[in-house]
Amino acid sequence: MADWTFPADTRFSHAYIISTSDAKGNLNTAMHTASAILCSGGGARPCGKCRDCRKVASGSHPDLGFVRRQADESGKEKREIVVKQIRELAEDAIVRPNEATKKVYIIDQADTMNLQAQNAALKLFEEPPAFVCFLLCAENPQMLLQTVRSRCADIRSLHKSDGRQQEAEGESETLKKAKEYLKALASGDELQLLTWCFRNEGMDGRTAGEFLASVQSLIADMLAGRKNMLGLKAEDLLELYGQMDQYLAWLNVNISAKQIFGLLACSMPGTDRNGEPN
């Protein structure tokens, strides 16, 4: 079992993209995350001891499903995940869980979904059943439609083993901005946060989306113990992570980056973060 856990009160998103250094790492992280979502142990998740964790580990949990590339008549794996598979997934997803409080579907090599399959998945992610979580394993997440990516949280940094990749990402401008934002947030100085947001509200929509995803990536690293939490509480970081999901969705429906940064200016821990763009 992996050596990281989620806090007991974690509120999981309806969909995640998992992108690590290789396909095996993606699947291992997805299985660990699925175990955490289904865990009934009561403490840090996954506990590895409860009935649900044991069933996930043995591959027998009735509320854990998989979508994979199918084999052709010769037994060779097909190149794509096709729309029929996603439609079958959608039909199964509306059925309530058998044993756990949630159902989890792992889409292995999700970046091989063809265009029709991705469009079908997009409809499912737009209005998912409340009790379902989708985990998309993708070695090349850029192969997924931007509209699909915008509806998924990104937890690739939870299980990243390639230090060179991490260093390279640290050079990106959006990641630098994400670090600046979290430092301003952690300062406890509302004026500093407001000034920073005002200075950066001119981002275009695409850059703003990359910035929000970078904030999520940093938060995931903080919660996993790989980065300093800057004095922020885990519950505040988890709430902020969920807010990034919402803001990404709003960006996708033509809410401006300026409006999003106005909301970010009000995200100081301990303040009301339930506002919506006008």
Side-chain angles (χ1 to χ4, degrees):
M1 175 170 292
D3 59 359
W4 47 270
T5 58
F6 295 87
D9 59 351
T10 298
R11 292 182 294 176
F12 290 98
S13 176
H14 71 282
Y16 293 94
I17 292 175
I18 298 174
S19 177
T20 67
S21 58
D22 54 46
K24 183 177 180 181
N26 288 341
L27 189 56
N28 287 342
T29 299
M31 288 294 292
H32 189 74
T33 304
S35 187
I37 294 168
L38 297 172
C39 178
S40 54
R45 306 164 70 171
C47 68
K49 300 177 181 178
C50 70
R51 175 199 63 185
D52 293 293
C53 284
R54 294 198 305 271
K55 286 193 173 184
V56 170
S58 67
S60 61
H61 202 298
D63 296 315
L64 175 60
F66 294 86
V67 176
R68 295 186 171 100
R69 287 188 290 170
Q70 297 176 330
D72 60 22
E73 294 180 355
S74 66
K76 185 178 179 180
E77 192 174 53
K78 294 181 178 179
R79 296 182 61 182
E80 298 177 327
I81 293 173
V82 299
V83 65
K84 179 182 178 182
Q85 293 175 262
I86 302 302
R87 288 173 178 164
E88 291 173 348
L89 167 62
E91 291 176 1
D92 190 72
I94 63 175
V95 180
R96 297 197 66 84
N98 287 282
E99 296 180 1
T101 58
K102 295 237 180 220
K103 294 177 74 174
V104 179
Y105 294 93
I106 295 175
I107 305 179
D108 196 14
Q109 296 179 306
D111 44 341
T112 67
M113 285 190 290
N114 63 25
L115 181 59
Q116 293 82 0
Q118 290 198 50
N119 282 326
L122 178 60
K123 293 179 181 179
L124 182 58
F125 298 162
E126 285 176 336
E127 296 182 7
F131 48 81
V132 174
C133 182
F134 303 98
L135 304 178
L136 282 66
C137 298
E139 288 186 79
N140 299 294
Q142 69 273 13
M143 298 298 292
L144 296 169
L145 295 172
Q146 191 278 331
T147 47
V148 171
R149 298 198 305 270
S150 70
R151 285 165 174 77
C152 301
D154 186 353
I155 56 174
R156 59 186 168 182
S157 61
L158 283 174
H159 197 70
K160 191 177 291 180
S161 60
D162 189 341
R164 291 172 298 176
Q165 179 184 359
Q166 211 164 15
E167 182 180 353
E169 288 185 355
E171 296 301 316
S172 72
E173 188 63 28
T174 51
L175 191 56
K176 289 179 182 178
K177 293 292 185 184
K179 290 179 179 179
E180 290 175 2
Y181 165 69
L182 288 171
K183 287 179 180 178
L185 188 73
S187 72
D189 186 333
E190 293 185 15
L191 180 59
Q192 180 180 337
L193 178 63
L194 180 64
T195 301
W196 187 92
C197 290
F198 178 76
R199 191 167 61 242
N200 290 278
E201 66 181 10
M203 285 186 192
D204 60 62
R206 182 175 180 274
T207 303
E210 292 175 354
F211 161 77
L212 295 173
S214 293
V215 172
Q216 285 190 316
S217 181
L218 286 173
I219 291 173
D221 270 343
M222 289 175 174
L223 292 172
R226 283 188 296 276
K227 289 191 181 297
N228 192 314
M229 292 176 63
L230 303 175
L232 294 167
K233 296 180 181 178
E235 54 265 33
D236 288 325
L237 288 170
L238 286 166
E239 184 176 351
L240 187 62
Y241 192 102
Q243 288 293 312
M244 297 302 109
D245 278 343
Q246 184 64 76
Y247 298 160
L248 282 164
W250 283 337
L251 274 176
N252 198 54
V253 292
N254 295 323
I255 299 300
S256 71
K258 184 174 182 179
Q259 288 174 293
I260 297 299
F261 274 83
L263 293 170
L264 288 172
C266 301
S267 60
M268 188 71 69
T271 61
D272 180 11
R273 296 185 216 163
N274 295 319
E276 296 191 2
N278 296 319

